[in-house]
mmCIF file of all heavy atoms in Angstrom:
data_model
loop_
_atom_site.group_PDB
_atom_site.id
_atom_site.type_symbol
_atom_site.label_atom_id
_atom_site.label_comp_id
_atom_site.label_asym_id
_atom_site.label_seq_id
_atom_site.Cartn_x
_atom_site.Cartn_y
_atom_site.Cartn_z
ATOM 1 N N LYS A 2 122.569 112.219 123.810
ATOM 2 C CA LYS A 2 121.769 111.386 124.688
ATOM 3 C C LYS A 2 120.857 110.472 123.885
ATOM 4 O O LYS A 2 120.695 109.306 124.222
ATOM 5 C CB LYS A 2 120.955 112.255 125.641
ATOM 6 C CG LYS A 2 120.147 111.448 126.627
ATOM 7 C CD LYS A 2 119.378 112.347 127.573
ATOM 8 C CE LYS A 2 118.533 111.510 128.509
ATOM 9 N NZ LYS A 2 117.708 112.327 129.368
ATOM 10 N N ILE A 8 121.265 103.295 120.891
ATOM 11 C CA ILE A 8 122.194 102.164 120.927
ATOM 12 C C ILE A 8 121.778 101.188 122.025
ATOM 13 O O ILE A 8 121.790 99.970 121.820
ATOM 14 C CB ILE A 8 123.640 102.654 121.098
ATOM 15 C CG1 ILE A 8 124.089 103.368 119.815
ATOM 16 C CG2 ILE A 8 124.575 101.500 121.417
ATOM 17 C CD1 ILE A 8 125.399 104.101 119.918
ATOM 18 N N ASP A 25 105.104 74.846 116.713
ATOM 19 C CA ASP A 25 105.701 74.483 118.000
ATOM 20 C C ASP A 25 105.699 72.977 118.205
ATOM 21 O O ASP A 25 105.684 72.496 119.329
ATOM 22 C CB ASP A 25 104.949 75.172 119.145
ATOM 23 C CG ASP A 25 105.240 76.653 119.186
ATOM 24 O OD1 ASP A 25 106.317 77.057 118.734
ATOM 25 O OD2 ASP A 25 104.383 77.383 119.681
ATOM 26 N N GLU A 50 121.872 95.585 100.060
ATOM 27 C CA GLU A 50 120.856 94.668 99.579
ATOM 28 C C GLU A 50 121.207 93.281 100.073
ATOM 29 O O GLU A 50 122.377 92.973 100.328
ATOM 30 C CB GLU A 50 120.736 94.694 98.051
ATOM 31 C CG GLU A 50 121.927 94.138 97.308
ATOM 32 C CD GLU A 50 121.719 94.170 95.799
ATOM 33 O OE1 GLU A 50 120.561 94.112 95.335
ATOM 34 O OE2 GLU A 50 122.715 94.250 95.080
ATOM 35 N N GLU A 55 118.498 86.704 107.651
ATOM 36 C CA GLU A 55 117.841 86.208 108.852
ATOM 37 C C GLU A 55 116.777 87.198 109.298
ATOM 38 O O GLU A 55 116.976 88.403 109.237
ATOM 39 C CB GLU A 55 118.868 86.021 109.961
ATOM 40 C CG GLU A 55 119.965 85.047 109.602
ATOM 41 C CD GLU A 55 121.154 85.142 110.543
ATOM 42 O OE1 GLU A 55 121.100 85.873 111.543
ATOM 43 O OE2 GLU A 55 122.146 84.450 110.264
ATOM 44 N N ILE A 59 109.236 89.880 117.170
ATOM 45 C CA ILE A 59 109.204 90.117 118.612
ATOM 46 C C ILE A 59 107.765 89.989 119.090
ATOM 47 O O ILE A 59 106.840 90.487 118.443
ATOM 48 C CB ILE A 59 109.762 91.514 118.945
ATOM 49 C CG1 ILE A 59 111.210 91.601 118.473
ATOM 50 C CG2 ILE A 59 109.645 91.807 120.435
ATOM 51 C CD1 ILE A 59 111.816 92.973 118.603
ATOM 52 N N GLY A 75 123.816 88.259 109.856
ATOM 53 C CA GLY A 75 124.741 88.051 110.964
ATOM 54 C C GLY A 75 125.099 89.356 111.640
ATOM 55 O O GLY A 75 124.250 90.171 111.954
ATOM 56 N N GLU A 77 127.182 91.591 110.202
ATOM 57 C CA GLU A 77 127.564 92.573 109.190
ATOM 58 C C GLU A 77 126.523 93.672 109.031
ATOM 59 O O GLU A 77 126.857 94.843 108.927
ATOM 60 C CB GLU A 77 127.793 91.889 107.848
ATOM 61 C CG GLU A 77 128.956 90.921 107.860
ATOM 62 C CD GLU A 77 129.019 90.107 106.587
ATOM 63 O OE1 GLU A 77 128.256 90.388 105.637
ATOM 64 O OE2 GLU A 77 129.836 89.175 106.547
ATOM 65 N N ILE A 80 119.050 95.356 110.488
ATOM 66 C CA ILE A 80 118.061 96.398 110.222
ATOM 67 C C ILE A 80 116.877 96.171 111.155
ATOM 68 O O ILE A 80 116.334 95.065 111.208
ATOM 69 C CB ILE A 80 117.596 96.349 108.757
ATOM 70 C CG1 ILE A 80 118.803 96.484 107.814
ATOM 71 C CG2 ILE A 80 116.556 97.432 108.488
ATOM 72 C CD1 ILE A 80 118.525 96.055 106.394
ATOM 73 N N PRO A 86 102.854 100.283 109.992
ATOM 74 C CA PRO A 86 101.420 100.005 110.045
ATOM 75 C C PRO A 86 101.147 98.507 109.975
ATOM 76 O O PRO A 86 101.863 97.767 109.304
ATOM 77 C CB PRO A 86 100.857 100.700 108.801
ATOM 78 C CG PRO A 86 101.938 101.543 108.262
ATOM 79 C CD PRO A 86 103.225 101.041 108.800
ATOM 80 N N GLY A 90 98.582 98.897 103.098
ATOM 81 C CA GLY A 90 98.259 100.164 102.462
ATOM 82 C C GLY A 90 98.343 101.368 103.384
ATOM 83 O O GLY A 90 98.378 102.494 102.914
ATOM 84 N N ASN A 94 104.137 107.817 109.966
ATOM 85 C CA ASN A 94 105.179 108.843 109.864
ATOM 86 C C ASN A 94 106.329 108.503 110.794
ATOM 87 O O ASN A 94 106.107 108.227 111.972
ATOM 88 C CB ASN A 94 104.612 110.218 110.219
ATOM 89 C CG ASN A 94 103.656 110.708 109.160
ATOM 90 O OD1 ASN A 94 103.901 110.549 107.977
ATOM 91 N ND2 ASN A 94 102.561 111.298 109.591
ATOM 92 N N MET A 95 107.541 108.518 110.248
ATOM 93 C CA MET A 95 108.727 108.281 111.062
ATOM 94 C C MET A 95 109.078 109.562 111.797
ATOM 95 O O MET A 95 108.928 110.658 111.259
ATOM 96 C CB MET A 95 109.896 107.821 110.190
ATOM 97 C CG MET A 95 109.665 106.474 109.535
ATOM 98 S SD MET A 95 111.098 105.834 108.659
ATOM 99 C CE MET A 95 111.094 106.809 107.163
ATOM 100 N N THR A 114 116.610 106.739 110.984
ATOM 101 C CA THR A 114 115.749 107.673 110.277
ATOM 102 C C THR A 114 115.351 108.820 111.194
ATOM 103 O O THR A 114 115.187 108.661 112.394
ATOM 104 C CB THR A 114 114.494 106.972 109.725
ATOM 105 O OG1 THR A 114 113.850 106.255 110.774
ATOM 106 C CG2 THR A 114 114.852 106.027 108.600
ATOM 107 N N ARG A 115 115.218 109.985 110.588
ATOM 108 C CA ARG A 115 114.853 111.199 111.315
ATOM 109 C C ARG A 115 113.469 111.694 110.925
ATOM 110 O O ARG A 115 112.816 112.388 111.685
ATOM 111 C CB ARG A 115 115.876 112.312 111.048
ATOM 112 C CG ARG A 115 117.343 111.902 111.183
ATOM 113 C CD ARG A 115 117.675 111.181 112.455
ATOM 114 N NE ARG A 115 117.690 112.109 113.574
ATOM 115 C CZ ARG A 115 117.649 111.742 114.851
ATOM 116 N NH1 ARG A 115 117.606 110.485 115.163
ATOM 117 N NH2 ARG A 115 117.649 112.618 115.804
ATOM 118 N N THR A 122 103.285 97.789 102.420
ATOM 119 C CA THR A 122 102.996 97.599 100.998
ATOM 120 C C THR A 122 102.180 96.337 100.755
ATOM 121 O O THR A 122 101.305 96.311 99.896
ATOM 122 C CB THR A 122 104.315 97.528 100.201
ATOM 123 O OG1 THR A 122 105.134 98.620 100.593
ATOM 124 C CG2 THR A 122 104.082 97.598 98.717
ATOM 125 N N SER A 125 103.721 90.984 103.473
ATOM 126 C CA SER A 125 105.102 90.576 103.685
ATOM 127 C C SER A 125 106.132 91.667 103.397
ATOM 128 O O SER A 125 107.328 91.447 103.554
ATOM 129 C CB SER A 125 105.425 89.360 102.811
ATOM 130 O OG SER A 125 105.249 89.677 101.448
ATOM 131 N N TYR A 147 113.088 98.871 101.082
ATOM 132 C CA TYR A 147 112.069 97.955 101.586
ATOM 133 C C TYR A 147 112.748 96.797 102.307
ATOM 134 O O TYR A 147 113.937 96.522 102.125
ATOM 135 C CB TYR A 147 111.187 97.421 100.449
ATOM 136 C CG TYR A 147 111.926 96.467 99.531
ATOM 137 C CD1 TYR A 147 111.994 95.108 99.827
ATOM 138 C CD2 TYR A 147 112.562 96.921 98.387
ATOM 139 C CE1 TYR A 147 112.682 94.235 98.995
ATOM 140 C CE2 TYR A 147 113.245 96.062 97.548
ATOM 141 C CZ TYR A 147 113.300 94.714 97.866
ATOM 142 O OH TYR A 147 113.993 93.860 97.049
#
Side-chain angles (χ1 to χ4, degrees):
K2 183 179 178 184
I8 291 170
D25 288 333
E50 68 179 332
E55 300 165 6
I59 299 173
E77 296 171 8
I80 303 163
N94 290 319
M95 295 187 284
T114 52
R115 312 310 286 164
T122 311
S125 60
Y147 70 87

